[in-house]
Amino acid sequence: MPVVNSYSILDFYALPEEIHVELINGRYYEMPVLGAMHQDLASYFHILIGEFVSELGIDCKIYEGSVNVMILQDDYNMFQPDLMIVTDKSILGKREVYGAPDFVLEIISDEMRRAAIDEKVECYERAGVKKLLIVDIKNRSLTVYDHDGNSYNCEQYGFVGNMDMNLLGGQVVMDLEKIGCIADEYGKFMD
């Protein structure tokens, strides 16, 4: 994909600390301050997946928010997923992850994040992220992308019932209704 603007990783690092953006294909996307609903959802997934990983005894790192990922290891992309799992510790740096995590969760709860998601999915696919989940609050859906070694296969679910998901060689059960309940708690604040 051609780079649209000339912003690079060097520009990204030169930004003041109080400026929160993701760099996607050479463009900045502002990262709005995330509210309680966003954090509640990220925490639900962190606890669920953390317990699953612990039960299976998988040696990995789980990061929730605020850790950057140089996903394509190029000069034009630096992402900040809501949750990620890294099993290959050789890609861990002091300030960020260099390469593809095994698992990424993105929660879309505002128009800014929605505007960039297609480009991010394409980058995650090119990088080889094995499992990508996108929770779209406005559309009340969860989309699961599974990488088959070449490209993504995807399935979409509503916030109804449970879903068994293969992750890191095991099965984790997600309560989709719980995700809907968390979103509903904050429904009065949505646009």
Side-chain angles (χ1 to χ4, degrees):
M1 174 173 272
V3 175
V4 176
N5 290 342
S6 60
Y7 296 118
S8 71
I9 295 295
L10 293 176
D11 299 315
F12 179 87
Y13 286 131
L15 291 170
E17 282 187 31
E18 63 273 6
I19 305 245
H20 299 285
V21 298
E22 287 184 300
L23 180 63
I24 304 172
N25 294 321
R27 287 180 293 193
Y28 288 137
Y29 286 85
E30 183 180 354
M31 299 278 298
V33 174
L34 302 176
M37 175 187 60
H38 203 99
Q39 192 60 45
D40 282 352
L41 285 166
S43 294
Y44 166 74
F45 283 99
H46 194 157
I47 291 166
L48 176 73
I49 291 170
E51 289 174 353
F52 165 78
V53 163
S54 180
E55 285 175 17
L56 290 182
I58 297 171
D59 185 24
C60 65
K61 295 286 187 181
I62 302 175
Y63 297 111
E64 186 177 323
S66 74
V67 175
N68 292 321
V69 179
M70 190 180 278
I71 192 68
L72 294 172
Q73 299 182 62
D74 65 4
D75 289 335
Y76 302 102
N77 290 284
M78 184 72 84
F79 296 177
Q80 195 173 96
D82 293 301
L83 184 75
M84 68 179 139
I85 299 173
V86 177
T87 59
D88 178 4
K89 293 184 183 168
S90 72
I91 69 171
L92 301 177
K94 181 178 180 182
R95 293 177 55 182
E96 57 265 321
V97 174
Y98 297 96
D102 298 88
F103 169 84
V104 169
L105 169 71
E106 293 277 359
I107 301 168
I108 304 171
S109 59
D110 57 61
E111 291 307 316
M112 286 183 209
R113 294 176 70 98
R114 188 169 278 106
I117 199 62
D118 290 338
E119 287 186 78
K120 290 180 81 173
V121 169
E122 190 269 331
C123 289
Y124 286 136
E125 182 177 37
R126 284 182 30 217
V129 172
K130 295 172 190 161
K131 179 85 66 180
L132 168 63
L133 262 63
I134 298 178
V135 177
D136 186 335
I137 301 306
K138 186 175 184 179
N139 295 317
R140 298 188 60 81
S141 67
L142 181 136
T143 306
V144 180
Y145 294 85
D146 281 304
H147 207 284
D148 65 10
N150 295 311
S151 62
Y152 276 139
N153 299 308
C154 73
E155 292 185 50
Q156 193 168 37
Y157 302 87
F159 294 162
V160 178
N162 290 328
M163 180 193 76
D164 291 343
M165 182 179 73
N166 185 352
L167 181 63
L168 303 173
Q171 290 289 324
V172 62
V173 178
M174 273 188 243
D175 184 345
L176 299 172
E177 291 180 18
K178 171 99 173 147
I179 297 167
C181 287
I182 293 169
D184 290 344
E185 285 181 59
Y186 298 95
K188 63 186 173 203
F189 302 112
M190 298 297 287
D191 47 316

